[in-house]
Amino acid sequence: ALELSNQKYKRLLDNSISLIMEVDLDTHEVISCNPAMANALNLSVNEIIGKKISEYLPADVALSRKKAGIKAFKTKQIQRFEDERNGRYFLHNFIPSTHKKRRLIQTITYEITDSKINQKLKVSEQALTSILENIPFAVFAHDMEGALQHINKTTSQYTGYTQNELLAMNVADIDHKSLTRKDRELIWHKLVKGEQKEVLSTHIRKDGTSYPVEIHITAFSLKEKKIILAIAQDISERLRSEAALKASEAKYRNLNA
């Protein structure tokens, strides 16, 4: 019965997707490991068993593993920690045990690369959203048909529309010239990642009035879809200042004519 139980336990280990290993804490030799662990190390099971962990792990990594094993025995508690190697992330569990007076560490490791990358992407997206939401310019993110996907609060302030109203609109509803300029054919479809285009245009408010804008247009991918990001600045004051300066210069020239 004991042999059958051991065989069943071995089958469970061999078929587990978790990375499992047993190491002698004092000699640092590997007593056993499952195929998943061997595959993660790009070695065979036979190439690992009987070897010291320092023979297949970098020196700094092997040292940190030894320290975790010693701490597990001293505290008599499972040691859990994460690390990263070559762009891959792992969650480790070091479990202290004894067998025939040998101090052993059973390690159960899970690869968490996907969840870590998703977490980093989420943090990055949140940071970008915060930046775009708080910059003093209007932000229009739209698809290749011009349907608005994201806007910030400045866009509402500029146009007089609520955010919900804007998200049901098309770029052409705000920027009529985008149609006559043929932005979709001449700009949106031709933009590549990292490239930027600048255009001058006129935006229409909800009340029908208009204001001049300088627009910086770029493209990025979101869930494998190309998205156009347009950041528009109201340049009314700048144009008035430029006009006043030209008028002043003209007046000065006339006085000295």
Side-chain angles (χ1 to χ4, degrees), residues 2-126:
L2 180 59
E3 184 179 351
L4 288 175
S5 177
N6 288 337
Q7 289 175 355
K8 183 178 180 180
Y9 180 64
K10 186 178 186 304
R11 285 198 301 271
L12 287 172
L13 292 182
D14 287 347
N15 292 312
S16 175
I17 61 173
S18 301
L19 316 182
I20 302 172
M21 177 183 287
E22 191 170 46
V23 179
D24 187 307
L25 182 62
D26 298 304
T27 66
H28 312 306
E29 291 181 355
V30 177
I31 306 303
S32 65
C33 80
N34 71 341
M37 174 64 83
N39 289 336
L41 295 169
N42 294 318
L43 296 168
S44 69
V45 171
N46 290 335
E47 288 175 312
I48 297 175
I49 293 177
K51 300 286 183 65
K52 295 181 183 293
I53 60 173
S54 58
E55 293 183 53
Y56 58 84
L57 288 178
D60 58 333
V61 176
L63 180 60
S64 70
R65 298 290 187 272
K66 292 175 186 178
K67 289 181 178 179
I70 292 170
K71 186 175 181 180
F73 259 93
K74 281 186 176 179
T75 62
K76 296 181 180 180
Q77 293 181 340
I78 297 173
Q79 298 300 305
R80 294 186 176 89
F81 60 96
E82 297 179 8
D83 71 0
E84 179 269 335
R85 295 197 308 278
N86 300 320
R88 298 171 68 186
Y89 294 86
F90 300 91
L91 172 63
H92 305 279
N93 296 272
F94 277 33
I95 307 164
S97 67
T98 57
H99 180 66
K100 296 180 180 180
K101 296 183 180 182
R102 297 176 74 181
R103 297 193 302 169
L104 305 176
I105 293 293
Q106 296 174 341
T107 71
I108 302 176
T109 299
Y110 308 97
E111 182 164 1
I112 55 173
T113 301
D114 289 344
S115 62
K116 276 291 184 181
I117 290 175
N118 289 336
Q119 183 182 7
K120 286 187 174 183
L121 286 173
K122 185 176 181 180
V123 171
S124 178
E125 289 171 0
Q126 289 173 341

Side-chain angles (χ1 to χ4, degrees), residues 92-200:
H92 305 279
N93 296 272
F94 277 33
I95 307 164
S97 67
T98 57
H99 180 66
K100 296 180 180 180
K101 296 183 180 182
R102 297 176 74 181
R103 297 193 302 169
L104 305 176
I105 293 293
Q106 296 174 341
T107 71
I108 302 176
T109 299
Y110 308 97
E111 182 164 1
I112 55 173
T113 301
D114 289 344
S115 62
K116 276 291 184 181
I117 290 175
N118 289 336
Q119 183 182 7
K120 286 187 174 183
L121 286 173
K122 185 176 181 180
V123 171
S124 178
E125 289 171 0
Q126 289 173 341
L128 177 60
T129 298
S130 177
I131 291 170
L132 294 178
E133 185 61 31
N134 291 288
I135 63 173
F137 308 121
V139 172
F140 300 85
H142 59 84
D143 63 19
M144 298 303 291
E145 299 301 318
L148 293 174
Q149 307 291 310
H150 177 83
I151 48 90
N152 67 350
K153 59 186 178 184
T154 305
T155 309
S156 293
Q157 295 168 359
Y158 272 15
T159 63
Y161 290 101
T162 66
Q163 291 196 357
N164 286 337
E165 287 174 327
L166 285 164
L167 291 175
M169 297 170 66
N170 192 284
V171 171
D173 297 324
I174 304 296
D175 188 349
H176 297 174
K177 293 181 179 180
S178 67
L179 294 176
T180 56
R181 282 194 309 263
K182 297 184 178 181
D183 283 1
R184 184 171 66 175
E185 295 85 357
L186 301 181
I187 299 178
W188 303 347
H189 279 288
K190 292 184 178 182
L191 271 178
V192 296
K193 186 178 179 180
E195 186 182 9
Q196 180 177 287
K197 294 290 184 182
E198 180 182 313
V199 298
L200 297 177

